[in-house]
Amino acid sequence: MRWAPELPPGWEPAWEPREPVGEPEVVGGGPPTYGAEPSAWPEADPDALDGLVADTVLDGAQYGRLTIRTVALRGDSARYRGRPRRDALLTARFGAGDDALLLVAMASGARGADDAHLAAQDAVRWIAGAVGRSRARLADDLRGARRGSLKSGLHRLTDRCYGRLRARGEDLGLDEGTYTASLRCLLLPTDPESRIRLFFGVGEGGLFRIRDGAWQDLDLAPDETSAPFRFRATVAQPGDALLMCSGGLAEPLRGEPELAVHLAARWGAGKVPGLAAYLADTQTRVKGYADDRTAVTVWDA
């Protein structure tokens, strides 16, 4: 017997059919080597439990025209071997109302480094703190569309973050350059009149946009080999889906056309999935790509 609360005559339940979420889909030339679900947890140190990271982190928000979905997902290889997720994800709102700034920061620790996950966590926390403390200046530059000032200011904050990473590595007695991470950030104004989307960071990953059903690769090479800072200011259009991601998703997107087609169909034309569906989309499996995947997608109405 199925129980349901009584409703007044003529009323219908306000239930909406939910999109089914099943096993992760597979695209490309065959099933991946590893299984689709987590198997082993990393070994824990009882005196360093702050360093533990969950297999998956999922978040989202909506501000006016913006709808945001973001996820950090442990890769198949790390799941199988019981290694921690090297990717870190942080989402934050600084300020209130139309003057607020939204930050999504993601970092990927160095491959093979025992402290890779800790370096990634430090990187996202430190850059977020720096951005939050500089919110008033950044918001003012955004309102004035002062691209040069924004670029130089965010470059300075990023350099300071990497300076702290180097100092932390020295404190831990590690070889120079081993306590580090790739860092990618997306800064979004909540002002409904502003359609500026700011990307900045250092290292591997991807910045893409789906516009009119087609993918555009927006990731630029750094200005100089000696100064690997990346910065891009874009202006959104209604219907755009802007994707920033770590290398674990950027590489299969660039290397497997079927994945790009699949995600364009899922996320293009203003189609915004719920959190569970977004997680399933980012879990789409491709043989030969087993790294952590961290992503944020921003839809503009």
Side-chain angles (χ1 to χ4, degrees):
M1 178 181 295
R2 181 178 178 183
W3 178 87
E6 294 184 2
L7 295 172
W11 284 44
E12 295 292 336
W15 301 327
E16 296 181 359
R18 294 183 178 178
E19 185 176 358
V21 177
E23 291 292 321
E25 297 192 46
V26 178
V27 298
T33 302
Y34 302 105
E37 299 299 333
S39 54
W41 283 343
E43 183 178 359
D45 180 347
D47 296 319
L49 296 180
D50 288 346
L52 293 178
V53 290
D55 177 272
T56 302
V57 176
L58 188 63
D59 202 356
Q62 183 172 0
Y63 289 90
R65 296 171 174 156
L66 296 177
T67 304
I68 303 167
R69 300 285 182 262
T70 185
V71 65
L73 177 70
R74 188 163 55 137
D76 291 346
S77 177
R79 284 175 164 181
Y80 177 77
R81 302 176 191 281
R83 299 290 297 167
R85 172 167 47 85
R86 291 186 299 115
D87 282 6
L89 173 68
L90 183 146
T91 57
R93 172 175 60 86
F94 299 112
D98 291 349
D99 290 329
L101 294 179
L102 309 177
L103 175 72
V104 180
M106 59 183 66
S108 300
R111 190 186 303 276
D114 291 337
D115 296 316
H117 60 298
L118 300 178
Q121 291 175 39
D122 282 342
V124 296
R125 284 198 301 265
W126 290 341
I127 194 64
V131 168
R133 288 186 289 272
S134 303
R135 181 193 67 84
R137 175 65 182 272
L138 291 169
D140 185 60
D141 286 340
L142 273 167
R143 282 192 295 270
R146 291 186 282 271
R147 184 183 184 280
S149 181
L150 287 163
K151 181 177 180 179
S152 62
L154 292 171
H155 193 170
R156 183 169 57 254
L157 298 182
T158 303
D159 282 348
R160 290 175 183 171
C161 175
Y162 276 89
R164 293 186 67 179
L165 286 173
R166 287 190 295 272
R168 177 61 176 156
E170 292 174 2
D171 291 343
L172 294 172
L174 301 176
D175 292 338
E176 184 177 356
T178 58
Y179 196 80
T180 190
S182 296
L183 176 65
R184 296 193 154 236
C185 302
L186 201 59
L187 193 60
L188 310 166
T190 58
D191 183 352
E193 299 304 316
S194 175
R195 288 192 177 270
I196 297 175
R197 313 289 174 249
L198 287 182
F199 158 77
F200 66 97
V202 172
E204 299 176 349
L207 181 69
F208 306 92
R209 179 171 60 204
I210 306 175
R211 177 172 286 177
D212 298 328
W215 284 100
Q216 301 171 350
D217 194 335
L218 305 180
D219 211 355
L220 297 176
D223 294 339
E224 303 174 13
T225 304
S226 59
F229 180 72
R230 299 170 189 258
F231 175 89
R232 179 129 192 185
T234 66
V235 178
Q237 295 183 7
D240 280 357
L242 182 66
L243 169 67
M244 181 183 74
C245 58
S246 65
L249 183 57
E251 291 176 9
L253 259 179
R254 293 182 174 121
E256 178 49 67
E258 285 190 39
L259 178 62
V261 171
H262 174 72
L263 293 183
R266 296 283 301 159
W267 297 345
K271 299 175 184 175
V272 181
L275 287 177
Y278 184 72
L279 172 61
D281 290 341
T282 55
Q283 283 181 306
T284 303
R285 314 189 72 221
V286 184
K287 186 176 178 62
Y289 299 96
D291 282 347
D292 297 349
R293 291 183 179 182
T294 302
V296 56
T297 308
V298 180
W299 285 267
D300 275 274

